[in-house]
Amino acid sequence: MNIHQVAAQLFTIRDFIKTPEDIAKSLRRVREIGYEAVQISAMGPIPEEDLVKILRDEGLVCCATHEPSQTVLENPEGVVERLQKLGCRYTAYPYPGGVDLSDPAQVRSLAGRLEHAGQVLAGAGLTLTYHNHATEWIRHDGRLVMEMILDGTRPEHLKVEIDTYWVQVGGGDPVDWCRRLGNRLPLLHMKDYGMTKDKGPVMAEIGRGNLNFPAIVAAAEKSGCEWFIVEQDVCPGDPFESLKLSFDFIRENLVS
């Protein structure tokens, strides 16, 4: 991994990107930290052409997006149009909203709909990925929901954006999952897993939790990962400071 592959997931600073003015100001702060790329998510309304200009002015690349779950499934053509306007190849299905993953029939239905959406994106030269949480580690007859989704889709139509924290919460091994996904892992959400005396597991800045990130990065690189995306849904204080702590640790300890 080199430093040019490290991106910031803007969901981390979602409270600071509600207006075009705040978006411009916040992206400038992200670039000043050192990030050269961002994943667009949870952003207030702004025309794509205006966002592209801000990104260009600040020297940032849009490496990927998160699009609303229902939009991905019901209007993949609209997702294609948006990605083309942003000059971005990757997006992710962010969360199985409205889908009961404890019901295997609904899991199979979701896989079929993701296969269709991914086929539409692939036809335009774009890539749909699946962003996991912990519930994909539910088992049905010995098979994980994550495995059912992968088995129910073609590798050329659906890839994966592994979230290291949520794999750990689900009882999986982030290193093993980065390794086993092979050519289906273009994006990685880097999110550390910490522990407190009273609250139990918490999201932490990279290097301040307990995940083995040298091994995670090595496995992801072998699987062809292109973008290593820092995300922290919940921060102990200023989310920009959390992004900086993670970036500094990555730069000092994980890049080659």
Side-chain angles (χ1 to χ4, degrees):
M1 175 178 65
N2 65 60
I3 200 65
H4 309 296
Q5 294 175 278
V6 180
Q9 223 294 18
L10 297 185
F11 185 77
T12 308
I13 56 169
R14 57 195 176 276
D15 294 334
F16 298 85
I17 51 174
K18 300 300 186 184
T19 68
E21 294 77 14
D22 287 342
I23 290 168
K25 186 185 304 181
S26 294
L27 288 178
R28 184 172 301 116
R29 293 181 68 183
V30 169
R31 184 67 187 93
E32 287 170 351
I33 291 170
Y35 291 96
E36 298 177 32
V38 294
Q39 182 174 35
I40 302 299
S41 177
M43 183 176 285
I46 182 173
E48 283 86 359
E49 56 268 26
D50 292 351
L51 178 55
V52 168
K53 183 180 186 303
I54 292 172
L55 289 167
R56 183 173 60 246
D57 289 348
E58 298 303 332
L60 288 165
V61 171
C62 175
C63 68
T65 75
H66 271 193
E67 301 300 326
S69 301
Q70 288 304 109
T71 302
V72 172
L73 298 179
E74 297 175 4
N75 184 22
E77 295 81 5
V79 175
V80 167
E81 182 179 358
R82 174 167 163 78
L83 291 179
Q84 289 174 337
K85 288 180 179 178
L86 292 172
C88 178
R89 177 180 176 184
Y90 295 109
T91 193
Y93 176 79
Y95 184 76
V99 180
D100 182 1
L101 297 184
S102 68
D103 180 353
Q106 292 193 41
V107 175
R108 289 190 290 269
S109 174
L110 174 61
R113 299 179 75 188
L114 289 167
E115 167 68 17
H116 169 71
Q119 188 173 4
V120 171
L121 267 69
L126 306 173
T127 302
L128 176 63
T129 68
Y130 185 96
H131 175 263
N132 68 277
H133 291 81
T135 47
E136 287 81 7
W137 272 256
I138 295 171
R139 287 189 180 271
H140 297 296
D141 296 325
R143 296 174 67 216
L144 296 171
V145 167
M146 193 75 237
E147 293 170 334
M148 294 173 66
I149 290 171
L150 292 171
D151 291 345
T153 55
R154 298 180 185 181
E156 61 267 32
H157 295 156
L158 185 72
K159 301 192 185 299
V160 181
E161 179 183 61
I162 276 292
D163 186 298
T164 56
Y165 175 89
W166 288 117
V167 173
Q168 185 73 25
V169 172
D173 178 354
V175 176
D176 176 63
W177 273 92
C178 286
R179 184 183 300 120
R180 68 188 287 186
L181 280 167
N183 65 354
R184 296 184 84 165
L185 184 64
L187 311 176
L188 180 72
H189 267 191
M190 299 178 71
K191 184 184 303 176
D192 215 339
Y193 179 99
M195 186 64 62
T196 66
K197 183 178 72 172
D198 300 322
K199 296 182 179 179
V202 294
M203 297 174 186
E205 294 80 6
I206 310 304
R208 296 202 166 195
N210 300 312
L211 296 185
N212 185 351
F213 273 103
I216 288 171
V217 169
E221 285 186 302
K222 288 183 179 179
S223 291
C225 185
E226 296 180 36
W227 292 104
F228 297 80
I229 305 167
V230 175
E231 181 184 42
Q232 192 167 339
D233 309 27
V234 180
C235 302
D238 180 0
F240 291 96
E241 179 61 23
S242 288
L243 284 176
K244 185 179 188 306
L245 289 169
S246 290
F247 184 84
D248 289 348
F249 180 88
I250 291 168
R251 181 178 54 193
E252 295 166 10
N253 297 278
L254 299 177
V255 299
S256 53

